[in-house]
């Protein structure tokens, strides 16, 4: 759904939490572009994936590290949204 995450400026780039760790929090983050991807369907898909992963973790008794994963934010580099350094603020950190 995210595809190539094309952008012309960093204000178009966003990060989104994906999945669920057994100990809590997201499994990872992806960078996506508001210029090429509709937010509502993307968030709905990410929410569904999180719920499914939480259910699978509970059903299997999975364990994971309880380390907090910082949202890296997202930046536009070479016209593609990429994960940032974690110090992002504003729209890129959403």
């Amino acid at each position: 759904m995210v595809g190539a995450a094309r952008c012309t400026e960093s204000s178009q780039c966003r990060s989104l939490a994906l999945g669920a760790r057994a100990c809590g929090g997201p499994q990872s983050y992806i960078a996506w572009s508001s210029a090429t991807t509709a937010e509502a369907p993307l968030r709905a898909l990410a929410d569904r994936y999180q719920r499914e992963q939480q259910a699978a973790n509970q059903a299997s008794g999975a364990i994971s590290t309880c380390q907090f994963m910082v949202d890296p934010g997202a930046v536009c580099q070479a016209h593609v949204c990429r994960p940032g350094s974690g110090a992002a603020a504003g729209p890129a950190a959403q």
Side-chain angles (χ1 to χ4, degrees):
M1 181 178 268
V2 169
R6 298 281 178 205
C7 58
T8 56
E9 57 187 49
S10 289
S11 66
Q12 297 169 324
C13 298
R14 309 280 191 276
S15 59
L16 180 66
L18 285 183
R21 289 178 169 220
C23 194
Q27 184 178 35
S28 63
Y29 288 87
I30 61 165
W32 65 280
S33 173
S34 63
T36 59
T37 305
E39 182 173 8
L42 178 61
R43 287 199 182 274
L45 186 60
D47 289 345
R48 188 175 98 200
Y49 180 59
Q50 179 189 26
R51 288 190 305 273
E52 289 173 356
Q53 209 168 33
Q54 286 172 330
N57 287 343
Q58 287 180 337
S60 70
I63 58 172
S64 69
T65 62
C66 294
Q67 158 184 31
F68 178 74
M69 292 191 64
V70 175
D71 183 341
V75 294
C76 186
Q77 294 177 337
H79 300 285
V80 176
C81 292
R82 302 189 190 282
S85 65
Q94 294 178 357

